[in-house]
């Protein structure tokens, strides 16, 4: 039996990880530490709360004392570190919080792990592991013909978010090298799936369509991302937690590069098809384009580009595939359809998270209209 501390477990990837892990390893102890920012939602963990070996603790990763106490009291030998400020646009309008949470927060966790696992009763923690969940954005931006990022691609983070994640990766590496803290790092591409906060591209487009709003495409829509279903990310994390080499870095991706425009068009077609097949959707979502006799694509709107917008990410996950047998299992079409269905069937969830603080942020960002200005 393993005993895991999962930071950020009430967020998008964290809650999917918890569901995945309980299903696959029901005997393991799982303690979630999450401060419940706008992105953390206890409702994401409702199903897990029923499970006898699950515990939720509301708290901050920057609270070293709390983390030390949790590690000792719960005899936690694995940390899966997901807690972070994660949205690039927010890092552009307010970088300070990203520096504090992502860098100082990670450092605080590393200090706690070192103190308890390496300086305390070592016999109580015979096989500790600190796994740090990071992003492909630390590697910077690729040109159209460039080879995909490997684990030895030099770091060239461009946004404050990416820079804060890069700094946290370096700290994790340094704690391994200097103090011998047993760590692993994964750098993953863009995730999608259920429970993603509707500020990120895919859920934003889904809820905007259902609410009769436009689909804001930054710049020319030709920026490329490699999209991975969150369940496949969890599968990759599981492989690393079980057999990943200590001190190693693993890229996780799915060789599924899409331009933003193609992706949003695919989403539009899937939505049109679903409304055509299920007539009750028209009554439930009267504002959606198909309910008004329009195609979803008519809602596309090119808006002003994001500052410093990275052009292309592509990730080479050969190491994870070769060493640990990773392969993504959910095709993009199937993953997008199931994600779309999840949002269609969970309207109360997304309406609840798009609360006052979300609207305030959108207004702060874009003025009274609450949406980005039309682009050139
Ligand atoms: P998210 O924003 O949905 O969730 C972040 C969670 O962290 C929330 O539950 C929030 O309440 C919690 N949190 C924030 N600050 C905290 C603090 N100080 N103390 C405790 N908890 C805190 O993010 P996500 O998309 O689930 O991403 C999770 C991790 O995966 C992040 O580290 C992110 O950098 C990384 N990542 C995300 C993606 C992606 O596509 N979403 C891709 C690669 C890597
Ligand atoms: P996002 O989901 O914010 O993830 P990331 O910035 O971490 O890649 O954005 C994905 C892509 O979609 C990115 O190129 C920016 C673009 N985008 C839009 O075109 N419009 C939007 O409203 C948002 C949120 C993102």
């Amino acid at each position: 039996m393993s005993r895991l501390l999962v930071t950020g477990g009430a967020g998008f990837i964290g809650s999917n990880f918890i569901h995945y892990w309980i299903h696959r390893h029901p005997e393991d102890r799982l303690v979630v530490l999450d401060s419940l920012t706008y992105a953390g939602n206890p409702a994401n963990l409702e199903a897990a709360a029923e499970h006898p070996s699950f515990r939720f603790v509301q708290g901050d990763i920057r609270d070293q004392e709390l983390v030390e106490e949790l590690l000792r009291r719960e005899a936690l030998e694995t940390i899966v570190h997901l807690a972070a400020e994660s949205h690039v646009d927010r890092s552009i309008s307010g970088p300070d919080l990203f520096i504090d949470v992502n860098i100082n927060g990670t450092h605080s966790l590393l200090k706690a792990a070192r103190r308890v696992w390496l300086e305390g009763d070592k016999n109580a923690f015979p096989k500790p592991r600190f796994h740090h969940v990071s992003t492909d954005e630390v590697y910077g931006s690729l040109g159209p013909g460039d080879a995909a990022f490997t684990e030895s691609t030099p770091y060239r983070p461009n946004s404050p978010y990416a820079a804060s994640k890069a700094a946290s990766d370096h700290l994790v590496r340094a704690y391994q090298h200097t103090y011998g803290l047993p760590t692993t790092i994964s750098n993953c591409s863009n995730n999608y799936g259920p429970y993603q906060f509707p500020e990120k591209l895919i859920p934003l487009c889904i809820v905007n369509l259902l609410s009769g709003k436009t689909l804001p495409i930054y710049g020319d829509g030709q920026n490329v991302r490699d999209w991975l279903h969150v369940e496949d990310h969890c599968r990759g994390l599981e492989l690393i937690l079980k057999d990943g080499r200590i001190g190693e870095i693993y890229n996780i991706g799915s060789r599924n590069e899409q331009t933003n425009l193609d992706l949003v068009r695919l989403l539009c077609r899937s939505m049109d098809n679903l409304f055509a097949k299920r007539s009750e959707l028209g009554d439930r979502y009267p504002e959606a384009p198909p309910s008004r006799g329009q195609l979803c694509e008519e809602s596309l709107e090119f808006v002003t580009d994001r500052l410093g917008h990275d052009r292309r990410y592509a990730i080479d996950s050969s190491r994870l595939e070769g060493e640990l047998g990773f392969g993504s299992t959910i095709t993009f079409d199937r993953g997008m359809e199931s994600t779309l269905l999840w949002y269609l069937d969970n309207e109360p969830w997304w309406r609840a998270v798009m609360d006052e603080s979300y609207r305030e942020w959108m207004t702060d960002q874009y003025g009274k209209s609450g949406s980005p200005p039309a682009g050139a």
Side-chain angles (χ1 to χ4, degrees):
M1 184 180 102
S2 304
R3 304 180 69 87
L4 287 76
L5 176 68
V6 181
T7 71
F12 162 49
I13 301 174
S15 56
N16 277 284
F17 178 82
I18 293 292
H19 297 138
Y20 178 88
W21 203 268
I22 286 181
H23 180 67
R24 303 260 307 169
H25 308 279
E27 70 289 356
D28 285 357
R29 177 71 166 158
L30 281 174
V31 178
V32 163
L33 175 66
D34 197 301
S35 61
L36 298 182
T37 67
Y38 77 95
N41 185 353
N44 298 0
L45 293 170
E46 249 163 36
E50 312 281 303
H51 199 267
S53 55
F54 172 82
R55 178 179 169 201
F56 178 78
V57 177
Q58 182 170 1
D60 201 298
I61 52 166
R62 290 165 292 182
D63 185 345
Q64 189 184 334
E65 223 174 283
L66 169 69
V67 175
E68 285 183 26
E69 194 200 303
L70 276 177
L71 293 178
R72 281 195 200 99
R73 186 170 295 182
E74 291 275 358
L76 301 168
E77 242 191 332
T78 300
I79 295 177
V80 187
H81 176 34
L82 293 127
E85 284 296 327
S86 68
H87 189 38
V88 173
D89 290 324
R90 285 181 190 253
S91 84
I92 294 168
S93 56
D96 298 61
L97 184 63
F98 284 70
I99 304 308
D100 198 25
V101 171
N102 297 356
I103 305 177
N104 294 330
T106 301
H107 189 217
S108 181
L109 269 183
L110 288 163
K111 286 191 287 182
R114 179 183 168 214
R115 172 86 52 88
V116 174
W117 291 343
L118 304 186
E119 294 172 352
D121 176 9
K122 283 194 185 157
N123 294 332
F125 302 96
K127 232 179 143 212
R129 179 192 290 265
F130 185 113
H131 181 73
H132 178 56
V133 178
S134 193
T135 166
D136 60 357
E137 303 193 24
V138 298
Y139 298 122
S141 182
L142 293 168
D146 291 343
F149 303 129
T150 68
E151 290 82 355
S152 47
T153 300
Y155 275 30
R156 294 185 70 169
N158 288 320
S159 70
Y161 162 68
S164 68
K165 291 297 290 186
S168 65
D169 294 7
H170 291 321
L171 281 168
V172 173
R173 190 181 170 279
Y175 265 64
Q176 204 277 321
H177 184 81
T178 306
Y179 305 115
L181 191 75
T183 65
T184 38
I185 299 176
S186 52
N187 294 90
C188 188
S189 61
N190 284 61
N191 284 216
Y192 69 99
Y195 299 106
Q196 188 168 30
F197 195 85
E199 63 188 352
K200 307 275 167 67
L201 181 64
I202 292 177
L204 177 92
C205 287
I206 297 174
V207 305
N208 276 13
L209 282 174
L210 297 178
S211 320
K213 295 188 186 153
T214 56
L215 307 176
I217 307 293
Y218 296 166
D220 62 4
Q222 294 306 313
N223 304 68
V224 173
R225 300 290 183 264
D226 173 2
W227 292 94
L228 178 75
H229 192 276
V230 64
E231 194 182 310
D232 278 328
H233 186 183
C234 294
R235 193 166 289 117
L237 293 176
E238 180 187 33
L239 291 169
I240 298 167
L241 289 168
K242 293 283 169 205
D243 293 315
R245 279 184 291 138
I246 292 299
E248 198 53 278
I249 298 165
Y250 294 93
N251 281 351
I252 312 181
S254 68
R255 301 171 202 274
N256 173 34
E257 290 184 52
Q258 304 281 340
T259 66
N260 293 337
L261 199 53
D262 285 346
L263 180 152
V264 175
R265 285 192 169 133
L266 170 73
L267 189 63
C268 286
R269 283 194 300 277
S270 305
M271 186 77 94
D272 289 333
N273 289 338
L274 275 171
F275 270 70
K277 269 195 261 168
R278 288 172 52 179
S279 56
E280 89 280 5
L281 290 176
D283 298 330
R284 274 170 58 197
Y285 298 106
E287 310 291 336
S291 313
R292 294 184 277 114
Q294 289 178 354
L295 288 173
C296 288
E297 243 190 81
E298 292 173 56
S299 300
L300 284 176
E301 187 185 16
F302 289 91
V303 299
T304 306
D305 208 353
R306 172 186 278 172
L307 290 177
H309 195 175
D310 281 341
R311 196 65 176 163
R312 174 176 167 238
Y313 304 143
I315 196 136
D316 179 341
S317 30
S318 308
R319 176 177 289 166
L320 188 61
E321 291 160 8
E323 271 185 29
L324 303 180
F326 175 74
S328 58
T329 59
I330 301 175
T331 62
F332 193 47
D333 283 354
R334 188 159 73 81
M336 283 290 275
E337 177 159 321
S338 64
T339 303
L340 191 46
L341 286 170
W342 189 87
Y343 282 88
L344 281 168
D345 293 338
N346 288 278
E347 185 183 2
W349 181 90
W350 52 264
R351 291 236 181 260
V353 299
M354 294 164 76
D355 62 3
E356 195 55 33
S357 73
Y358 171 81
R359 283 193 294 275
E360 264 168 31
W361 182 76
M362 290 298 270
T363 312
D364 215 35
Q365 182 89 338
Y366 300 120
K368 278 211 174 79
S369 74
S371 53

